Amino acid sequence: MPPAQFVNTYADTLPDLVTAIKPTAVYRPQVQIINQALWHELGLPTAWQDNDTLMGLLFNRDSELTKHSVAQKYGGHQFGQWNPQLGDGRGVLLTELITPDQQRIDLHLKGAGPTPYSRHADGRAVLRSTIREYLASEALYHIGIPTSRALCLISSAEPVYREQQESAALLIRTAPSHLRFGTFEYFYHDRPAGSSPDTAPDKLIQLMNYTLNTHFPEALAADNPHLAMLTSVISTTAQLVAKWQVAGFNHGVMNTDNMSIHGITFDYGPFAFFDDFEPHYICNKSDHQGRYRFSQQPSIGLWNLNALAQAFRPFVDVASLTDALDQYESILITQYHQLMVSRFGLNDVTDSALAMVAMFMELLQNPARDYHHSFRQLCGHSDWQSIKALRAEYVDITLFDQWVAAWESEVEAQQIDFATLQARLSGTNPHTVLRNHHAQAVIEAAQDGDYSLFNAYLSALSDPYNEQSKIERFASAPVAQDKGIALSCSS
Ligand code: AMP
Ligand code: MG
């Protein structure tokens, strides 16, 4: 296989949109985890996995990884308020790669030390948030949800101060790019006061041209390439949010600086997968109004796309922007329905299938039941009688009986035999999902220098549909006091 090629198109093409910066070394860095499959896919040299070699590449000036490293400027709507003062405050875009199979991928170092956008903060990430991002991005990836990915976790003995003293860690992550909604918003809004909202500042034109040529070349053939690009972002974002809703994933901080133009899950903070199914759950302790509660994620996705669409005003007429945004809801709902019926082993989205799904969701809520466990319990049965025996676990047995009858008749109507049904169920309802209480146990062990739990959990999350007995502990739902752990933004 040919090796990766290192390119720096963003830094080279858009020098006015970045600040050249090198990562700042940490005290006693130690490579702890490497994503071997991804490393190989990227075509990176195996020799670089050695601790001293990798630290040399990251912290010596002018290595292949840092020759053109930059901090990217962006802004963002945070909890609905425009904030132009953002940017890579603790991250550095090391380089872009062209992988052996011709993918274009960013290598980004999170926790790389202060940059001009750090706003007096330390430019670091703590070990616990780095572990959470690593586990979550791999968990989502392996259940088919688009996401940035974790390549390498580096621990350190560098103290950092949050609510208490903790140690800093670094994460090398990959993504098709680190262009956020807020990148476009920033270069749209950064303009002389009083200028027409339909004029495009030069830097916005440069950014748009770069993004079209580099990331959306197929849009160049359209009558209006900018509109085609935005339409693509609307579609991938709608599909992403639908996938979150089906998987029971709460992002937690859907600020526009945390939204990728590639429709991938990005910038992990106080996220949570459901324990009990609570549609209005708020996983972020800092989200006092519940703006980013689970049930709001679809409408916030659209709100964010509206904020992004504003930056397209100089290039697309308002009626076309509105039409494009109008497609969001139906794309999301179509995707949601399709994925939801597939969790019940069905192919076709019929009214009766959707009514059956709605009944099950009702059963999960009153009283609240563990979301993932309830779905996974539908797997591994030899006949309908065995499924029906689950009724003993439900409070509303009348509704349970109605639901299971509706499901059985839908399976029959769609002509799916029981063995096929069971095979499908086991492949769409994960056995292992990321639980905050397990992540917490992994973090505590890692803080004591023991990464064996991390590795065990990661291997379970990387094969989420497989019931492997040796890691059975990670498949369990939490006991009462471990449920619904909420986290805050500070990490
Ligand atoms: P986040 O909450 O991670 O999405 O970050 C929001 C903004 O704050 C971004 O501009 C980050 O770069 C910046 N930021 C977050 N934490 C730090 C930190 N420890 N040091 C410097 N900047 C930070
Ligand atoms: Mg962010």
Side-chain angles (χ1 to χ4, degrees):
M1 251 204 326
Q5 285 170 260
F6 298 90
V7 291
N8 299 280
T9 61
Y10 195 77
D12 293 348
T13 317
L14 304 168
D16 296 342
L17 278 54
V18 298
T19 303
I21 191 121
K22 309 286 179 209
T24 309
V26 282
Y27 183 51
R28 290 192 9 221
Q30 181 64 47
V31 173
Q32 294 291 355
I33 311 290
I34 290 182
N35 189 334
Q36 293 294 345
L38 182 58
W39 191 282
H40 183 71
E41 232 175 79
L42 297 178
L44 291 170
T46 310
W48 287 11
Q49 295 191 1
D50 169 68
N51 194 59
D52 290 348
T53 308
L54 188 57
M55 293 318 125
L57 286 159
L58 290 176
F59 300 118
N60 287 353
R61 304 186 81 76
D62 291 345
S63 76
E64 269 114 323
L65 294 183
T66 57
K67 239 184 292 186
H68 301 277
S69 60
V70 293
Q72 291 175 296
K73 177 62 192 162
Y74 54 84
H77 277 89
Q78 299 188 305
F79 293 91
Q81 301 297 316
W82 172 240
N83 182 352
Q85 301 203 307
L86 302 174
D88 285 332
R90 56 168 164 175
V92 163
L93 173 60
L94 295 170
T95 180
E96 297 154 44
L97 298 178
I98 306 294
T99 70
D101 57 0
Q102 301 302 303
Q103 303 293 312
R104 174 183 295 278
I105 297 288
D106 275 5
L107 282 191
H108 180 99
L109 182 65
K110 188 165 178 179
T115 79
Y117 314 121
S118 299
R119 296 178 297 165
H120 308 295
D122 58 11
R124 297 299 184 191
V126 296
L127 179 62
R128 85 187 127 85
S129 69
T130 308
I131 288 176
R132 280 169 48 79
E133 173 157 351
Y134 199 125
L135 292 176
S137 54
E138 287 307 290
L140 286 185
Y141 174 78
H142 288 285
I143 55 170
I145 300 188
T147 175
S148 62
R149 292 195 68 190
L151 179 65
C152 178
L153 188 154
I154 300 159
S155 67
S156 83
E158 180 101 10
V160 286
Y161 303 91
R162 299 293 184 263
E163 273 118 34
Q164 74 264 3
Q165 184 180 315
E166 301 186 47
S167 57
L170 298 102
L171 182 73
I172 306 178
R173 71 177 180 199
T174 67
S177 85
H178 281 67
L179 292 171
R180 305 142 190 272
F181 290 12
T183 319
F184 293 83
E185 292 177 89
Y186 177 79
F187 291 105
Y188 171 79
H189 291 293
D190 185 33
R191 57 171 61 242
S195 66
S196 156
D198 293 327
T199 58
D202 284 349
K203 289 178 189 171
L204 180 67
I205 295 173
Q206 291 169 26
L207 175 64
M208 289 283 186
N209 287 341
Y210 167 84
T211 309
L212 277 165
N213 286 311
T214 313
H215 297 294
F216 294 86
E218 64 290 346
L220 291 168
D223 287 345
N224 184 330
H226 292 83
L227 176 59
M229 172 161 87
L230 179 66
T231 302
S232 167
V233 180
I234 291 168
S235 171
T236 53
T237 304
Q239 291 175 58
L240 175 69
V241 176
K243 287 176 183 161
W244 289 350
Q245 299 308 105
V246 171
F249 176 76
N250 300 250
H251 181 282
V253 206
M254 288 176 71
N255 292 335
T256 58
D257 50 302
N258 294 335
M259 299 289 293
S260 160
I261 58 152
H262 302 287
I264 61 173
T265 315
F266 192 63
D267 267 16
Y268 290 81
F271 67 84
F273 285 82
F274 274 134
D275 293 317
D276 284 349
F277 180 49
E278 293 169 43
H280 305 299
Y281 184 61
I282 305 165
C283 67
N284 180 354
K285 268 201 287 191
S286 316
D287 182 5
H288 305 297
Q289 311 292 321
R291 178 180 175 87
Y292 300 137
R293 68 178 71 229
F294 181 78
S295 52
Q296 290 262 93
Q297 296 191 130
S299 56
I300 290 292
L302 181 57
W303 194 98
N304 289 344
L305 284 162
N306 268 285
L308 174 65
Q310 179 76 20
F312 282 73
R313 273 192 62 173
F315 310 96
V316 184
D317 63 90
V318 171
S320 302
L321 289 178
T322 309
D323 285 349
L325 290 163
D326 280 350
Q327 296 168 28
Y328 171 86
E329 189 177 340
S330 68
I331 297 171
L332 189 151
I333 290 174
T334 303
Q335 174 82 112
Y336 178 83
H337 285 165
Q338 189 61 58
L339 292 173
M340 228 13 165
V341 301
S342 75
R343 294 201 76 160
F344 294 88
L346 302 169
N347 296 320
D348 301 333
V349 179
T350 59
D351 287 347
S352 46
L354 294 178
M356 178 278 294
V357 171
M359 276 186 237
F360 190 71
M361 302 311 271
E362 176 71 24
L363 277 172
L364 295 194
Q365 275 177 77
N366 296 316
R369 282 179 56 86
D370 188 86
Y371 189 73
H372 307 285
H373 185 61
S374 300
F375 275 106
R376 186 69 194 187
Q377 272 190 320
L378 308 179
C379 306
H381 298 276
S382 49
D383 54 31
W384 282 103
Q385 271 331 101
S386 159
I387 293 178
K388 286 172 186 169
L390 291 172
R391 114 198 256 270
E393 289 202 13
Y394 285 78
V395 173
D396 188 345
I397 48 176
T398 312
L399 183 58
F400 179 90
D401 291 344
Q402 277 171 3
W403 160 72
V404 85
W407 184 25
E408 187 175 3
S409 68
E410 192 64 29
V411 168
E412 201 174 304
Q414 296 197 20
Q415 299 181 331
I416 300 162
D417 65 68
F418 197 82
T420 307
L421 175 75
Q422 282 297 322
R424 284 188 189 164
L425 292 173
S426 311
T428 49
N429 296 299
H431 177 64
T432 314
V433 295
L434 183 57
R435 305 276 196 170
N436 276 345
H437 70 295
H438 290 322
Q440 193 51 38
V442 167
I443 288 165
E444 282 163 23
Q447 284 167 337
D448 291 338
D450 175 4
Y451 284 79
S452 59
L453 265 189
F454 181 106
N455 280 313
Y457 204 13
L458 182 63
S459 98
L461 291 167
S462 303
D463 193 8
Y465 301 104
N466 194 354
E467 300 193 9
Q468 305 163 77
S469 55
K470 71 179 194 308
I471 42 188
E472 190 55 38
R473 63 169 289 183
F474 291 126
S476 62
V479 296
Q481 70 267 26
D482 287 340
K483 280 182 185 175
I485 299 173
L487 292 117
S488 72
C489 280
S490 93
S491 59

